[in-house]
C-alpha cells in the first residue's frame, strides 16, 4: 500500500480517475422518449413470437409494420447510442441482404423518412439537415406531442386492428395527392394514423388546397400537420397505405340476390378416427373449414387424407356463403377458435408425422354462435373462452362492423 506522504496530488488524481463514472444524463427529449417507446414495442413482439419482425405480403400486417419501424430505427445513426444499451435481443445489427444507403438523403427524403418514426419535433437538431429543411419542417410538419385524451381513441384503434386482422378492413396503396378526410385511417412510417379532425380548407402559396389536421397515432401521440404533408409522407413511404373497408362484400346475406355468386360452404365435421385423443373428445372435437367445391367430393377420400385424421368423417353442420373470400373467412374462423385448437400428431401412410391444424375442441353451439356473429358483423367484439366453452365479449370493445 502506498503511503499518502509518498503520493503527490497528480498521482492521486490519476488513481482516482480510474474509478470515476461518467456523469449520467438526466432526462430525455420527447424525440428520444418516442424512439425508445417504438423500440420497446418491437422488443415485446420479439419476446412474444421468438423472432424479429419480417417483411412479406403473406405476413400479418402488424409484423410488417414493426419490420418497417425497425428498419427506420437502424438508420437513425445519431441515436444509435440511445438504443444500444437497451438492445438485449441484438435487433439493431444490420441484417444481411439489406444494404445501407450509399449516399446522403436529400432534405425531402430525409424528412419523409423521419416523419413516421419519431415525428419532427427535434428535426432541427440534426446537424446534416440544411436550413431550408428546417424552415420546411417548421412550416409544414407540426410537432408530435403526447395525446392527452388518447383513452377516447384507444377503443377505435383496437377495433381497427381487429378488423385488419380478420379481413373486415384491408389496405390499399395511397396515390399521390389522393384526398384525405376526417375519420379516415392510414398507415405511415410503420404506425396506424387516424385523422380525428380537419381545419378550414384554404389555398396555399402553390395554389393547392390544404388544411390543418389533427392526426392521432397508435403510439398515443398526435400532431397537427398539414394535409399536404401527410399526403407527401404517405406517397413517399413504400409501405404507406390507406385503411379501408374490405371490398369483398358481406360475409353472408339472408337471401341470395340474382347476381350473387355461390362461393362455397362452411362445414363442421366430426371424426370417426380411433385415435385415443379423438375417442376421448369425439362429441366436442370438430373440424371447421371452408370449401368452394362439392362437399361430398371433398370428403370422399377422407380416410386417406391426414387433414381428416386418416378416417371417415360425419358432417354435422354446413353454412352456405356468397360473394366472399373463402381464405379470409376460414382464417377468421380459425383465429377465433385458436385457444381451443387440438394439438395432435398423426403418422400418414408414408410414415411421415403430420400435424392437422383445422380441428378444434369446441361445442357445435359455439360454432353456430360464431357464424351468427360473423353474419351480423359483431364478431370483433368477441373471443372464445375454452374454459367457458363460449364466445365472450372482449372488455373495452364495443360497436358493430359495417358491411
Amino acid at each position: 500500500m502506498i503511503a499518502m506522504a509518498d503520493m503527490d496530488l497528480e498521482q492521486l488524481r490519476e488513481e482516482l480517475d480510474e474509478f470515476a463514472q461518467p456523469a449520467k444524463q438526466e432526462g430525455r427529449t420527447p424525440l428520444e422518449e418516442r424512439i425508445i417507446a417504438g423500440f420497446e414495442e418491437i422488443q415485446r413482439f420479439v419476446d412474444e413470437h421468438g423472432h424479429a419482425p419480417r417483411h412479406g405480403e403473406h405476413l400479418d400486417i402488424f409484423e410488417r409494420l414493426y419490420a418497417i419501424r425497425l428498419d427506420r430505427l437502424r438508420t437513425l445513426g445519431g441515436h444509435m447510442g440511445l438504443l444500444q444499451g437497451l438492445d438485449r435481443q441484438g435487433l439493431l445489427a444490420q441484417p444481411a441482404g439489406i444494404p445501407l444507403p450509399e449516399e446522403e438523403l436529400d432534405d425531402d427524403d430525409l424528412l419523409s423518412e423521419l416523419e413516421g418514426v419519431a415525428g419532427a419535433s427535434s428535426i432541427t437538431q440534426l446537424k446534416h439537415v440544411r436550413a431550408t429543411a428546417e424552415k420546411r419542417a417548421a412550416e409544414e410538419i407540426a410537432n408530435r406531442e403526447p395525446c392527452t385524451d388518447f383513452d377516447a381513441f384507444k377503443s377505435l384503434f383496437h377495433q381497427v386492428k381487429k378488423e385488419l386482422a380478420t379481413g373486415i378492413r384491408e389496405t390499399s396503396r395511397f396515390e399521390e395527392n389522393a384526398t384525405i378526410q376526417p375519420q379516415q385511417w392510414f398507415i405511415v412510417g410503420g404506425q396506424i394514423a387516424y385523422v380525428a379532425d380537419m381545419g378550414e380548407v384554404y389555398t396555399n402559396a402553390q395554389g393547392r388546397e390544404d388544411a390543418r389536421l389533427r392526426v392521432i397515432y397508435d403510439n398515443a401521440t398526435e400532431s397537427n400537420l398539414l394535409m399536404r404533408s401527410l399526403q407527401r409522407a404517405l406517397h413517399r413511404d413504400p409501405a404507406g397505405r390507406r385503411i379501408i373497408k374490405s371490398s369483398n362484400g358481406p360475409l353472408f346475406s339472408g337471401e341470395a340476390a340474382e347476381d350473387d355468386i355461390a362461393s362455397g360452404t362452411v362445414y363442421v365435421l366430426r371424426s370417426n378416427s380411433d385415435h385415443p385423443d379423438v375417442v376421448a373428445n369425439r362429441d366436442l372435437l370438430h373440424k371447421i373449414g371452408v370449401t368452394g367445391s362439392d362437399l361430398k367430393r371433398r370428403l370422399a377420400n377422407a380416410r386417406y387424407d391426414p387433414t381428416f385424421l386418416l378416417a371417415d368423417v360425419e358432417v354435422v353442420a354446413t353454412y352456405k356463403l356468397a360473394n366472399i373470400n373463402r381464405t379470409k373467412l376460414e382464417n377468421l374462423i380459425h383465429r377465433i377458435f385458436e385457444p381451443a385448437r387440438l394439438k395432435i400428431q398423426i403418422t400418414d401412410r408414408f410414415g411421415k408425422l403430420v400435424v392437422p391444424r383445422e380441428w378444434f375442441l369446441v361445442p357445435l353451439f359455439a360454432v353456430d354462435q360464431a357464424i351468427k356473429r360473423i353474419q351480423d358483423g359483431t364478431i370483433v367484439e368477441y373471443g372464445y373462452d375454452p374454459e367457458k366453452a363460449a364466445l365472450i365479449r372482449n372488455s373495452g370493445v364495443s360497436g358493430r362492423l359495417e358491411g
Side-chain angles (χ1 to χ4, degrees), residues 121-332:
S121 60
S122 299
I123 202 166
T124 55
Q125 299 173 14
L126 297 176
K127 296 180 180 179
H128 56 284
V129 179
R130 297 189 294 273
T132 55
E134 295 175 2
K135 182 182 292 187
R136 187 177 294 109
E139 293 176 350
E140 296 186 358
I141 302 176
N143 295 343
R144 285 201 197 181
E145 301 292 344
C147 180
T148 57
D149 59 341
F150 186 71
D151 284 345
F153 300 96
K154 187 180 296 184
S155 63
L156 296 178
F157 279 94
H158 183 84
Q159 182 159 343
V160 165
K161 289 180 179 181
K162 283 270 192 180
E163 292 175 358
L164 279 170
T166 57
I168 301 300
R169 288 183 187 262
E170 60 187 8
T171 63
S172 64
R173 188 75 178 95
F174 187 85
E175 301 298 331
E176 186 174 13
N177 297 325
T179 59
I180 291 176
Q181 297 294 332
Q183 285 75 59
Q184 289 183 337
W185 294 85
F186 302 94
I187 296 173
V188 57
Q191 291 181 321
I192 294 178
Y194 175 61
V195 181
D197 196 12
M198 174 183 286
E200 183 178 352
V201 178
Y202 65 92
T203 301
N204 64 19
Q206 290 73 42
R208 298 174 177 175
E209 287 190 346
D210 208 344
R212 184 67 66 179
L213 307 176
R214 185 191 183 195
V215 181
I216 313 297
Y217 300 90
D218 63 348
N219 65 345
T221 62
E222 67 171 281
S223 67
N224 64 329
L225 76 171
L226 293 172
M227 179 178 67
R228 299 289 301 173
S229 298
L230 181 56
Q231 288 173 329
R232 188 162 45 249
L234 284 163
H235 178 63
R236 289 175 178 164
D237 184 350
R241 294 290 188 273
R242 185 191 295 275
I243 300 176
I244 58 176
K245 289 288 187 180
S246 175
S247 59
N248 292 322
L251 294 176
F252 301 92
S253 58
E255 297 181 3
E258 290 184 3
D259 59 349
D260 274 357
I261 302 172
S263 297
T265 302
V266 179
Y267 60 83
V268 184
L269 309 177
R270 182 179 294 126
S271 175
N272 292 328
S273 169
D274 59 1
H275 189 286
D277 289 344
V278 177
V279 173
N281 300 282
R282 197 179 304 280
D283 292 336
L284 189 64
L285 182 62
H286 295 103
K287 182 184 190 300
I288 310 171
V290 180
T291 182
S293 61
D294 180 78
L295 185 57
K296 288 185 178 179
R297 187 179 303 115
R298 175 82 172 93
L299 305 179
N301 296 312
R303 70 182 65 182
Y304 306 111
D305 190 340
T307 302
F308 296 97
L309 305 181
L310 299 175
D312 290 330
V313 293
E314 174 188 352
V315 179
V316 295
T318 59
Y319 307 85
K320 292 292 183 181
L321 56 100
N323 291 339
I324 186 65
N325 183 308
R326 293 190 295 272
T327 300
K328 286 186 177 181
L329 175 60
E330 188 170 69
N331 288 340
L332 168 59

